[in-house]
Structure formats: C-alpha cells, structure tokens
Amino acid sequence: MKKSLSIAAFTLAACCAFGAAGCGGSSRNIVSLESNWYSGINYSGFQPTFTEGNSTYSAEDLTYTVTFDGSGAANPSYTVSYAEGQYKTYFTSKILNKDEIEKITFDGNRGEYNSLSMQVYYYRTELTIPSVTFTLKSDNTKTATVNGESIITESYFLSVADYLCPVYSAQSVKSATPRNYQVGNIESAYVIIDRTYENFYSYKRVVNSGNKVVPEPSEAVTVTTVNSADYGYNEFTGTQNGESKTSVSSAVNLFDAPNTVFDIASLNTVVRACNLSAGENLSQAISLYVPWSKQGVNNFGVAGSSAPLVLDKNAEQNTAKLNELTSKLKDANLYEEQKDSEGNVIPLKTVAVNVGTTAGVSQTYWFAAINSTHSNVGHATMLKMSVPVTFGLGVFNYTLSEITHTFIS
C-alpha cells in the first residue's frame, strides 16, 4: 500500500446529513455534467489557466463562515449549540507524475487505467468549529462542552469529459458527533470520532453512450486508521495501549452501481457540475462511495429548488448581507451589474439545489446562477450550503465570506 500525498477528511455533509441508501440495478444512469466553474461551461477538459505550472495559472480559494441554527430543532431529548466556525475550500488542477500517481495507488493497481502521468482536479476542504455544547432538555444543568469539529477532506478526480471519475480521496475526522435520538444522560448524547480514511480506486475502460472509451471506477479499497481518542477504538483494535491502529477493507464493487459513481469528498464539485441552467427542473440520481457506510455505495437524488438565497431572517439585515456578498463577488470579477428596462439594478441571481436520500434527508446548495454558456461570469461559485445535523438537532449554514483567489477564465 502506498501512502497519500497528504491526509485529509470527510465533509460535514457526509458525516451528519446523509443516511445510507441501497445500491443495485442492472442498467446504469449516466449523469449529465458541465464544467460550470469555467467561463465556458461546455469545455469538458482542464483549462491551462486552471492548471498548476502555467504562467496565467489561478486556483479557487474560498472561505465560508459556519453558523449553527437550532431554532427549528425537533429533538425531544437534548439540544446542541455549536460555536461559530470556518470552512475553507481549495480547487485546482494539477498534472501528477509517475511517483505522485504511485503514492495515491493501492498496491500499484489502477486496474485497466495506468499511465506515467495523469492530469486531475484536486479539491480540498477544511472545516473547523471550536466547540459544541450538549444539553439535556429534562435538566438543563446537565451539559457537556467539548471540542467541536476538525474535518479535512481532499480528493483527486478526472475531468468532466471523464465524468469526474474518482482517483483518490482521504478524510481526517476529529469530531464530537451526536450519537442518539433520545438519551437518558448527557454522556450518551455524543461520541468522539478520531480517525482517517484513505480511499483508492481501480478502473475498467468502457464505451459510453457517445461511443467514447472512458475510465470507470470498478473497485474501491479503504484504509482506515482509528486513533485512541475514538469512541470505537477498543472495539476496533481489541487493545487499550493507545496506539493508532490501521485496517484495510475488502475491495468494494463499484461497477454495478445504478448511477455514475463519485467519491463523497468531491460532492460539492459534483453538484456544481450538474445542469444548473435547468433551475427547478434539474433532477438526476448519483451514486457516492462513502467509506464509513456499511453499503459502501450510497444513492442520492439531485434536484433543483426554488428556495431563495437568504442570509439573515431579518429582512433588513438580509438585504444588507446580500448587498455585501454581491460587492465581494463584484470585486472578484464574479458579478456584473445588470439593469432592467426601467434602469433598476437586477439583484444577484442564484440557483438552489437539494441533495438528499429517499428518506427525505437533504442538504441545500446555492450557487451563482449561470448567465451564459460561453461567458459564465459567476463561475457557479458556491455561495451558501445548509446542512442538517442528525437527529433533528438543527442546521449548519456555510456562507461565503472571503474570496482569496478565483478563476482567470
């Protein structure tokens, strides 16, 4: 087994929001994708200006403020309260050499897809929430305040031309996670997770509907490392000596998944690549490899929504915050002011997308709307993401707060 270029982690969306759904089926649904992060969304390859090493290169580097809203919580047993946090995303393209490819390859096996160099997208996220407080409803003097979230994810995947095919991902998870719906004491309200996952993929070459030979993930192997602080450490290792323990999963079959398969760590990009121009008419199914899921492959629906972008429940404050966000986008050349026939400035246009399970659990994204297929000013920048916390405990809101770097073209 080869180790990763760097260890990274799973998204809060995967940790908290999604229940498992079954997989199977004899015919595969091929997902329609577009490069919505580019000015020309129909360009399905890697643009030179988005590839490390080119003279005009520029990555996308964004920061989001993470706030918790417990006003709609429906849990009958206890409440949670999270401190304000931060979510950072970094998105680029790079060309891996033979040695770099080997580092993200399990036992040198990529199935039928091997090469001396490989161009990939690289997407990294980092979530930091300083603390969380759990409180019993039956006795609000019974509380526990612990470290919140430190979750890092990174993923390598191919271009839209190759259906964002997963190459490798890693997740580093340190989290105080709600454990049960109903609890009798504060100690049973949460568990500490402290573990890492590395996910390796092999491929088969298939002929798609356009008569093009493309790589398709056939198997995934996960290497899990559990640290001594993890609630399941003793069960996982059978020891109590405090040393981290590592296990290697059996290969998980991906080839029979009912939909195009993606890695959970690339979910934000996958949703961004869907047909956002369809608006509320967007509807398609995807399959995700989720390493901590018993099923391995989980199925989800992606659907357009009419939900407006709301940044504050107070109407006056909401207008002010929308104006502030619009100004940040304009400064980053991600917004061009437009006026209607009467000369009034048209507000920032957005598109909302829900991603959820058949059980109805979903999270919602808001992206800058696509104004043109060949001059996409907003680059479908993710403006906000709302993620429900498990067991009806509330919602996390991730709101774009800083644009460090963005695309040149």
Side-chain angles (χ1 to χ4, degrees):
M1 179 194 73
K2 302 298 190 292
K3 282 297 181 183
S4 63
L5 299 175
S6 60
I7 289 290
F10 68 6
T11 62
L12 187 67
C15 177
C16 295
F18 289 146
C23 64
S26 57
S27 61
R28 170 161 293 190
N29 166 53
I30 304 300
V31 174
S32 176
L33 300 172
E34 298 167 325
S35 300
N36 290 328
W37 43 88
Y38 289 149
S39 177
I41 67 174
N42 293 325
Y43 187 87
S44 60
F46 301 97
Q47 283 199 4
T49 53
F50 197 48
T51 302
E52 291 182 5
N54 288 296
S55 58
T56 56
Y57 161 74
S58 178
E60 181 186 65
D61 190 350
L62 307 174
T63 301
Y64 298 79
T65 298
V66 182
T67 56
F68 172 73
D69 181 3
S71 61
N75 187 286
S77 189
Y78 63 105
T79 64
V80 295
S81 179
Y82 289 85
E84 183 176 292
Q86 186 180 78
Y87 184 63
K88 298 180 70 67
T89 68
Y90 182 81
F91 187 28
T92 188
S93 169
K94 57 178 69 179
I95 299 175
L96 306 179
N97 60 35
K98 180 181 177 182
D99 291 339
E100 290 172 319
I101 294 171
E102 186 176 335
K103 290 179 181 179
I104 58 172
T105 300
F106 185 79
D107 287 343
N109 175 32
R110 299 205 74 79
E112 298 176 23
Y113 192 76
N114 291 281
S115 61
L116 297 179
S117 69
M118 176 186 292
Q119 185 159 11
V120 296
Y121 282 122
Y122 172 73
Y123 185 68
R124 185 181 191 275
T125 73
E126 182 173 1
L127 172 69
T128 305
I129 298 177
S131 64
V132 55
T133 299
F134 297 82
T135 304
L136 285 183
K137 281 192 169 182
S138 60
D139 183 355
N140 60 17
T141 66
K142 304 295 184 183
T143 67
T145 299
V146 292
N147 291 336
E149 312 291 326
S150 177
I151 299 175
I152 303 169
T153 79
E154 64 179 356
S155 55
Y156 297 75
F157 47 95
L158 303 182
S159 68
V160 164
D162 289 326
Y163 298 93
L164 304 180
C165 210
V167 172
Y168 167 86
S169 75
Q171 299 92 23
S172 171
V173 185
K174 295 182 179 180
S175 172
T177 300
R179 184 173 191 175
N180 298 299
Y181 181 70
Q182 289 188 308
V183 300
N185 54 67
I186 200 64
E187 291 76 19
S188 59
Y190 66 95
V191 293
I192 302 299
I193 295 176
D194 186 355
R195 59 183 67 181
T196 61
Y197 302 90
E198 287 189 276
N199 310 299
F200 302 86
Y201 293 87
S202 59
Y203 299 86
K204 290 183 180 179
R205 293 183 179 183
V206 299
V207 178
N208 68 6
S209 57
N211 205 32
K212 176 187 175 184
V213 178
V214 296
E216 190 167 289
S218 56
E219 289 183 335
V221 172
T222 294
V223 178
T224 304
T225 300
V226 175
N227 300 310
S228 58
D230 192 282
Y231 80 101
Y233 176 79
N234 292 340
E235 179 182 352
F236 182 83
T237 64
T239 68
Q240 298 186 39
N241 61 9
E243 296 179 2
S244 298
K245 298 295 180 180
T246 299
S247 70
V248 180
S249 74
S250 300
V252 176
N253 176 25
L254 305 178
F255 208 60
D256 293 334
N259 313 295
T260 304
V261 178
F262 307 99
D263 185 280
I264 183 66
S266 67
L267 177 61
N268 293 351
T269 306
V270 171
V271 178
R272 189 179 184 181
C274 290
N275 183 16
L276 301 182
S277 299
E280 294 178 50
N281 294 321
L282 170 62
S283 179
Q284 62 185 17
I286 62 174
S287 294
L288 299 175
Y289 177 66
V290 184
W292 49 89
S293 163
K294 292 181 180 179
Q295 286 89 344
V297 177
N298 292 235
N299 304 318
F300 300 90
V302 179
S305 167
S306 61
L309 175 63
V310 177
L311 302 181
D312 197 287
K313 294 179 180 179
N314 177 277
E316 185 175 336
Q317 288 296 318
N318 184 57
T319 299
K321 290 181 179 180
L322 286 172
N323 289 338
E324 181 182 0
L325 175 60
T326 302
S327 179
K328 289 178 180 179
L329 294 170
K330 186 176 182 180
D331 291 343
N333 297 315
L334 294 171
Y335 169 81
E336 287 183 353
E337 185 176 285
Q338 295 179 320
K339 295 183 179 181
D340 61 22
S341 58
E342 297 180 354
N344 300 311
V345 175
I346 299 174
L348 173 67
K349 292 183 178 180
T350 63
V351 57
V353 180
N354 292 327
V355 181
T357 69
T358 55
V361 179
S362 66
Q363 64 187 47
T364 304
Y365 293 84
W366 285 265
F367 299 97
I370 295 172
N371 63 308
S372 168
T373 59
H374 60 274
S375 182
N376 178 29
V377 175
H379 294 266
T381 303
M382 188 176 83
L383 306 177
K384 181 182 175 181
M385 178 172 65
S386 289
V387 181
V389 182
T390 50
F391 305 125
L393 289 165
V395 176
F396 285 108
N397 290 308
Y398 301 60
T399 305
L400 182 62
S401 57
E402 183 178 347
I403 304 170
T404 305
H405 294 290
T406 189
F407 305 93
I408 292 175
S409 63

